[in-house]
Amino acid sequence: MSGDGALRSVVVVGAGLAGVTAADELRANGYDGRLVVVGAEAELPYDRPPLSKDVLLGKATLADVRLRPESWYADRAVELRLGVAVQDVRPAERRVFLGDGTAEHADAVVLATGGTPRALTVPGADHPAVLTLRTAHDVERLKSRLAPGARVAVIGAGLIGAEVTASAVALGCDVTLLDPVAPPLAAVVGPEIARVLHAQHGQHGVRLVHGAVDRIDGRGDRVLLHLGAVVVEADVVLVGIGIELDLALADAAGLATDRGVLVDEVGRTSNPRVFAAGDVARAVGPGGPLPRVEHWDAALREGQAAAAGVLGLPAPAPRPPWFWSDRYGTHLEGVGEFDPVDLSVVRGDIAALDFTAIAVRGGRPTGAVAINRPNEIKALRRLIERGTPVDPGRLADPSVDLRSLARGASA
Ligand SMILES: Cc1cc2nc3c(=O)[nH]c(=O)nc-3n(C[C@H](O)[C@H](O)[C@H](O)COP(=O)(O)OP(=O)(O)OC[C@H]3O[C@@H](n4cnc5c(N)ncnc54)[C@H](O)[C@@H]3O)c2cc1C
């Protein structure tokens, strides 16, 4: 740990991807002191992306999507304390207090507490048919309601809402997708791609409703969603409108927060004994806090970075952000940091959902969005990482293999 004192015990708070990755990296880098991972959920740590895809579809079980096999923890002397939440982190006392009344000694703490689904706050939203999706428990509840013919309303056509919609369609449900933004996701991928992605739902028989729900009326097991004069009846409602962070632990520990726990490039918070990673963390760049990222790859990278920070090692080399999303057999990916208006170079055909759209600034690719073109995204990731200047004409030319540009062979 950076400078001040021995490192004999590390406590990781949160057993999601960021927390488990941090534990893995600590051991991989030779840390041989006590290592405790505390997780509020009772299940062995599992991966979240399959919840809205293969787990919901019944193609994978929770056991199939564990982050590590059970033996992995014992083999590396990673002590799992599951089904109990950390209630208090006191860095000055080097102690972490758990909900079961016990406490752990902690020379360093990694906060990886993720987030929880943002709740819909309209009247009636507490009806038992109104669900969210984040955990193993959530997916079981949702799955049990997605019988063929069930009327499903999905509120929010972002990444998770779109995936649940597609999964519900595949399960034979009668789905309505509601969103006040037209087209949804335009802020992420630009209006043209967003329109084509959204239209895909309609092509699969989904009823698209533009608007915001202002009231929910329960009718026994069912609900009526009111959007002004429009009423949508549903047997089950999935709300996918983003996540909220619980910053109470960080605030009580005296850490600097600003819509996230503020961290440097090795996950160090304003307290040198406490690190943060994953959805809960917000990196501070030279110009101030950066937008917080809520994607799988960021949780992985930040878990690795926090482990480096705990051990006083240099930060891992930065990588451009990357995310993916799957719906109706199409694989959407985005890489880099870009303004969607810069997605001006297009390979392939956006309308046919087979393309890579590349953002270029100052003669260099800065980001890209693609459907079903993972190799091109991989190549662009390398070009963006290296800041390689590329002639936009060559980027757009379908006969030019982006992988060869990335290898520098014909750049
Ligand atoms: C359904 C779904 C599908 C997704 N699909 C994709 C995708 O296709 N592509 C993509 O890039 N990203 C996807 N994501 C996002 C990605 O999974 C998350 O960004 C990532 O899981 C965040 O990891 P994390 O470790 O920061 O947080 P989490 O996975 O939320 O883990 C945090 C853990 O900490 C626990 N915890 C909280 N407070 C305490 C406490 N006080 N004490 C102890 N434990 C605590 C929580 O119970 C939780 O288990 C998806 C997310 C969901 C929910």
Side-chain angles (χ1 to χ4, degrees):
M1 182 177 158
S2 36
D4 55 347
L7 182 66
R8 281 185 289 266
S9 182
V10 178
V11 175
V12 177
V13 185
L17 179 65
V20 170
T21 302
D24 193 343
E25 285 289 304
L26 283 166
R27 286 296 187 231
N29 283 294
Y31 169 66
D32 63 0
R34 203 159 167 240
L35 180 51
V36 181
V37 177
V38 186
E41 294 179 68
E43 294 82 9
L44 268 186
Y46 57 89
D47 213 8
R48 291 193 201 282
L51 298 187
S52 46
K53 311 172 183 77
D54 282 359
V55 176
L56 196 54
L57 288 169
K59 292 182 181 170
T61 65
L62 203 61
D64 296 329
V65 303
R66 282 179 186 157
L67 290 172
R68 304 285 185 280
E70 191 163 10
S71 56
W72 183 90
Y73 301 92
D75 292 348
R76 284 159 188 76
V78 175
E79 295 176 42
L80 276 180
R81 301 207 46 193
L82 299 176
V84 59
V86 165
Q87 288 192 330
D88 203 1
V89 173
R90 295 191 201 158
E93 295 175 27
R94 300 195 188 195
R95 291 219 291 173
V96 166
F97 294 84
L98 280 66
D100 60 3
T102 62
E104 295 285 353
H105 180 87
D107 296 315
V109 175
V110 178
L111 279 184
T113 50
T116 50
R118 178 170 297 131
L120 195 66
T121 51
V122 302
D126 56 352
H127 189 281
V130 180
L131 307 178
T132 53
L133 177 59
R134 180 82 185 176
T135 66
H137 174 70
D138 295 340
V139 78
E140 284 315 315
R141 250 191 341 166
L142 179 60
K143 217 164 115 183
S144 70
R145 305 258 193 151
L146 297 188
R151 289 164 306 173
V152 180
V154 176
I155 299 178
L159 298 176
I160 289 179
E163 290 185 351
V164 170
T165 298
S167 295
V169 167
L171 291 168
C173 302
D174 173 8
V175 191
T176 305
L177 178 58
L178 307 97
D179 199 296
V181 176
L185 281 184
V188 183
V189 298
E192 188 185 357
I193 297 172
R195 255 192 302 276
V196 173
L197 283 172
H198 198 51
Q200 213 189 359
H201 296 295
Q203 288 148 14
H204 285 82
V206 174
R207 202 171 307 106
L208 301 174
V209 176
H210 177 222
V213 173
D214 47 54
R215 192 177 93 235
I216 299 179
D217 283 339
R219 288 282 185 279
D221 289 350
R222 300 168 296 120
V223 290
L224 300 177
L225 307 178
H226 295 267
L227 303 86
V230 177
V231 179
V232 175
E233 187 168 353
D235 302 308
V236 57
V237 180
L238 187 277
V239 178
I241 56 172
I243 65 168
E244 300 274 12
L245 304 182
D246 183 353
L247 297 175
L249 262 190
D251 289 333
L255 308 179
T257 62
D258 176 4
R259 285 166 288 156
V261 181
L262 298 180
V263 296
D264 67 10
E265 69 285 358
V266 286
R268 189 184 293 105
T269 68
S270 57
N271 186 308
R273 293 195 179 284
V274 186
F275 298 76
D279 285 1
V280 77
R282 183 174 181 199
V284 181
L290 302 167
R292 204 169 47 75
V293 185
E294 296 168 5
H295 295 309
W296 187 93
D297 191 54
L300 181 90
R301 284 184 293 118
E302 292 167 17
Q304 292 167 339
V310 169
L311 298 173
L313 299 172
R319 281 209 310 254
W322 167 68
F323 74 89
W324 80 95
S325 176
D326 295 300
R327 69 282 293 279
Y328 309 109
T330 46
H331 182 64
L332 166 72
E333 286 178 276
V335 66
E337 281 163 289
F338 57 91
D339 185 329
V341 297
D342 291 335
L343 290 167
S344 53
V345 175
V346 178
R347 296 167 69 89
D349 184 353
I350 292 179
L353 288 165
D354 175 19
F355 68 90
T356 300
I358 306 163
V360 182
R361 271 247 160 137
R364 292 176 164 77
T366 56
V369 174
I371 297 268
N372 295 340
R373 295 195 172 201
N375 288 335
E376 294 196 347
I377 286 288
K378 227 178 268 169
L380 283 157
R381 223 167 145 167
R382 281 202 292 277
L383 291 169
I384 295 165
E385 209 166 83
R386 291 188 209 143
T388 312
V390 189
D391 170 12
R394 303 203 68 204
L395 279 179
D397 182 348
S399 70
V400 174
D401 185 342
L402 294 184
R403 287 173 299 183
S404 70
L405 292 183
R407 282 195 296 269
S410 52

